[in-house]
Amino acid sequence: MNRQSQGGGGSNPPVIGFGPGGQRRGPGGPMGARLNAEKPKHAARTVKRLLSYIGRSRWLLAALLCIMVTVTVAELTGPYFQAEAIDAFYIDEATGALRVELSSLKRSLIAMGCMFALAAVLSFVQTLLAARLSQQTVYTMRNDLFRKISKLPIQYTDTHNHGDLMSRMTNDVENVSNAVSQSVTTLCSCLLTIVGALSMMLYYSWQMTLIALLTIPLSITVTSKLARFMRKYFVAQQKLLGSLNGQVEETVTAYPTVVSYGKEADAVARFGATSEQLRDCAVKAKVWGSVMGPIMNFLGNLQYVLIAATGGWMVYARVGGITVGSIQAMLQYSKNFTRPINQVANQYSSILTALAGAERIFEIMDSPSEIDEGRRTVNVEELRGHVEFKNLQFGYVPEKRVLQGLELTVAPGQKIAIVGATGSGKTTVVNLLTRFYEVDGGEITVDGINVTELPKSTLRRAIAIVLQDTVLFSDTIRNNICYGHPDATHEQVVAAAEAAGARKFIERLPDGYETVLAESGSNLSQGQRQLLAIARAVLADPKILILDEATSNVDTRTEMRIQRAMQRLMENRTSLIIAHRLSTIRDSDRIVVIRDGRVAESGKHEELLALNGEYAKLYNSQFAGEVT
């Protein structure tokens, strides 16, 4: 056989003491509609948005692409030099002896070794850059998501599972991170390898290339069919994981209630049911995600056999100038051609998981942000606290009105108590004044200015809220008191604690004001937590003060201490007091009774008792020991 020569190829102002959702209202519970059948998603749109995040690190991406191109070229030149080395051995037709071109063999081996070494070094650099690109991408995405969550309306967080929101911030973002660091770089590398391998295959033999391509339509058909079938399992898996996180968060938060009612077994059963669903769905997703790889390996091996058989026949028949080295190169390039397809198949489950997670992330990002049309420039210090509710109409759901024409005027510095049966709309009035929800009709004014004209930051800086469920952060006592006034001096902090009646117990703590609170301040008593919330409100120096059931969770002695602190806090401030314990509001300037979304009665304690109306019924039933 004659030796054939081969050519060269050459980031809102804080609301004091306010926790999410003073009143949980709205369509559906926290778990509402989380497990419904998933509607078809827009994968192409999600990929485009995900690529826009990756593209923000354009210089890093450009460097990574350059290295990937270099690695691909280095790897693809290996089979070429390998073919050269094999063809350095040939049969001398004149003598029938085996000959070797040592210079060609040495040159090919050295070149092949250098290319493989270069590919190995650059592959390591590629891994480092891919990790950097991945973390930079998810860093940006995570910050955008958290910034979006901070701008969501209270209504959104009131009607969505908190555990599911946390899952999107953690699990879904982590899945995207893994996809960017592994799957995205793999896809780009695979595309370059496919193009390069196909080019080299055509360079050696277009006949064998056509034989190799016979399996491609079958591969595409199998891939597309399996992809459509698998997708539903990966989307359902992410939704179930979010639901499971929500159940854990809900159970841990409400654990004392679960235990007190003896519902541990029910909680375990509910968790087990969802966990079982997740297990079954995850198994199906994993099984079907793993099926594609073996199928693609079989098709690749089939292609290998076809090329080897065709190449052997062409050498035997002396067709197309094919050599043994050429066949070896074609076999290597055919592997390089099919291997990327197998890699994509093996990565498909990760890609689907990441896309499902990215869709859930973008779903939050696409949710409407809290509306703030207020453009009127007002200095908070200039506000006096004159509040008016005019013909207020509102319902958490359209078909059920909570407030129906409520009218109420609160003069500056006046102390108004709002009472009524559960569900009458007491807390709703607060939610509308602070613009956690928007009114359906009527208007609310502060000093004659419609609250919609005031920037929400200005409005909320003028208001402080002390709730029955005190909100404290895992931070020092000092920082908790300074939450609404971060620039306060130590003297101001101490004065606020003194005014709230909290100074003594704070200074008895080992670290005083630098004592770090446990989660939600659980290392303090309920009364101490409430006093800190009052101190925080004192330091914020609000124009309008809202006390929402601020003493309902404490004993009588602690309640007296808190009441004294609140009396000092309410001096010369417009105050709205929502209370079930009617004994705590007897000295209010005016008591307003809400019934059926309207003001039913209004007056002082003695006047309302004399009327023998709604307030008298509430008061008498409470002191008679009846449930109101």
Side-chain angles (χ1 to χ4, degrees), residues 500-502 504-505 508 525 527-528 531 534 556-566 568:
K504 288 183 180 180
F505 89 79
R508 283 198 301 265
S525 70
Q528 288 171 333
L531 292 177
I534 293 172
T556 305
R557 178 176 293 182
T558 303
E559 180 183 10
M560 292 176 64
R561 292 177 56 204
I562 295 174
Q563 284 288 352
R564 287 195 295 268
M566 290 194 303
R568 290 191 290 269

Side-chain angles (χ1 to χ4, degrees), residues 395-463:
Y396 291 97
V397 290
E399 60 273 14
K400 185 177 180 180
R401 291 281 184 182
V402 177
L403 298 180
Q404 305 182 64
L406 185 137
E407 297 273 353
L408 178 61
T409 300
V410 186
Q414 196 173 28
K415 184 167 61 174
I416 301 295
I418 302 176
V419 301
T422 300
S424 59
K426 302 184 299 295
T427 301
T428 301
V429 173
V430 173
N431 287 339
L432 297 177
L433 174 59
T434 52
R435 292 194 68 194
F436 296 148
Y437 288 81
E438 301 297 332
V439 301
D440 295 331
E443 65 175 7
I444 304 173
T445 64
V446 175
D447 291 356
I449 305 171
N450 194 313
V451 291
T452 59
E453 298 177 17
L454 292 172
K456 287 185 176 179
S457 58
T458 301
L459 175 66
R460 291 169 183 172
R461 277 201 306 271
I463 300 173

Side-chain angles (χ1 to χ4, degrees), residues 42-88:
H42 302 284
R45 184 187 305 169
T46 303
V47 169
K48 183 178 179 180
R49 291 185 66 173
L50 196 54
L51 290 177
S52 71
Y53 271 94
I54 298 174
R56 296 187 187 185
S57 305
R58 55 177 60 89
W59 295 112
L60 188 60
L61 180 60
L64 182 60
L65 289 174
C66 288
I67 289 179
M68 281 195 291
V69 170
T70 306
V71 169
T72 302
V73 171
E75 290 179 342
L76 288 176
T77 54
Y80 172 81
F81 289 117
Q82 188 178 28
E84 288 285 303
I86 291 174
D87 286 338

Side-chain angles (χ1 to χ4, degrees), residues 184-468:
V184 172
T185 52
T186 298
L187 288 174
C188 294
S189 179
C190 288
L191 179 60
L192 293 171
T193 301
I194 288 172
V195 173
L198 182 60
S199 300
M200 293 303 294
M201 289 168 69
L202 289 171
Y203 167 76
Y204 279 107
S205 172
W206 64 267
Q207 296 96 329
M208 282 193 287
T209 301
L210 289 178
I211 295 296
L213 294 178
L214 288 177
T215 59
I216 300 302
L218 184 58
S219 299
I220 293 175
T221 301
V222 170
T223 302
S224 60
K225 294 289 185 183
L226 280 176
R228 283 196 294 270
F229 183 75
M230 291 159 51
R231 178 181 174 79
K232 59 183 179 182
Y233 292 115
F234 288 97
V235 173
Q237 182 181 355
Q238 290 306 107
K239 291 179 69 65
L240 285 167
L241 186 59
S243 174
L244 200 69
N245 286 341
Q247 289 184 24
V248 172
E249 191 249 357
E250 186 179 71
T251 302
V252 171
T253 302
Y255 189 66
T257 303
V258 174
V259 172
S260 65
Y261 279 88
K263 293 293 184 179
E264 298 94 329
D266 290 347
V268 170
R270 180 168 171 247
F271 179 87
T274 305
S275 184
E276 184 177 355
Q277 285 182 282
L278 178 59
R279 180 198 64 192
D280 294 343
C281 186
V283 167
K284 291 177 182 177
K286 189 67 176 178
V287 168
W288 288 107
S290 302
V291 162
M292 190 177 289
I295 292 176
M296 300 309 295
N297 285 334
F298 169 78
L299 294 175
N301 291 331
L302 176 62
Q303 182 190 68
Y304 190 90
V305 171
L306 292 175
I307 291 175
T310 303
W313 176 81
M314 292 179 71
V315 170
Y316 177 78
R318 297 176 179 271
V319 176
I322 296 298
T323 66
V324 174
S326 302
I327 295 175
Q328 175 63 20
M330 282 295 297
L331 291 174
Q332 292 297 320
Y333 284 125
S334 70
K335 281 190 174 182
N336 285 334
F337 184 75
T338 56
R339 186 185 64 213
I341 301 175
N342 292 336
Q343 287 178 332
V344 172
N346 292 329
Q347 289 284 335
Y348 204 76
S349 62
S350 298
I351 295 172
L352 282 181
T353 300
L355 285 180
E359 285 176 340
R360 284 158 47 81
I361 292 169
F362 294 140
E363 181 181 300
I364 295 181
M365 291 187 180
D366 292 338
S367 299
S369 297
E370 188 177 31
I371 300 172
D372 187 5
E373 68 276 26
R375 296 292 181 267
R376 187 159 176 174
T377 303
V378 177
N379 190 333
V380 175
E381 300 301 323
E382 297 175 357
L383 295 176
R384 297 181 300 115
H386 186 276
V387 182
E388 287 189 76
F389 300 89
K390 303 176 181 179
N391 192 30
L392 218 54
Q393 310 280 341
F394 178 76
Y396 291 97
V397 290
E399 60 273 14
K400 185 177 180 180
R401 291 281 184 182
V402 177
L403 298 180
Q404 305 182 64
L406 185 137
E407 297 273 353
L408 178 61
T409 300
V410 186
Q414 196 173 28
K415 184 167 61 174
I416 301 295
I418 302 176
V419 301
T422 300
S424 59
K426 302 184 299 295
T427 301
T428 301
V429 173
V430 173
N431 287 339
L432 297 177
L433 174 59
T434 52
R435 292 194 68 194
F436 296 148
Y437 288 81
E438 301 297 332
V439 301
D440 295 331
E443 65 175 7
I444 304 173
T445 64
V446 175
D447 291 356
I449 305 171
N450 194 313
V451 291
T452 59
E453 298 177 17
L454 292 172
K456 287 185 176 179
S457 58
T458 301
L459 175 66
R460 291 169 183 172
R461 277 201 306 271
I463 300 173
I465 305 177
V466 180
L467 300 170
Q468 70 178 72

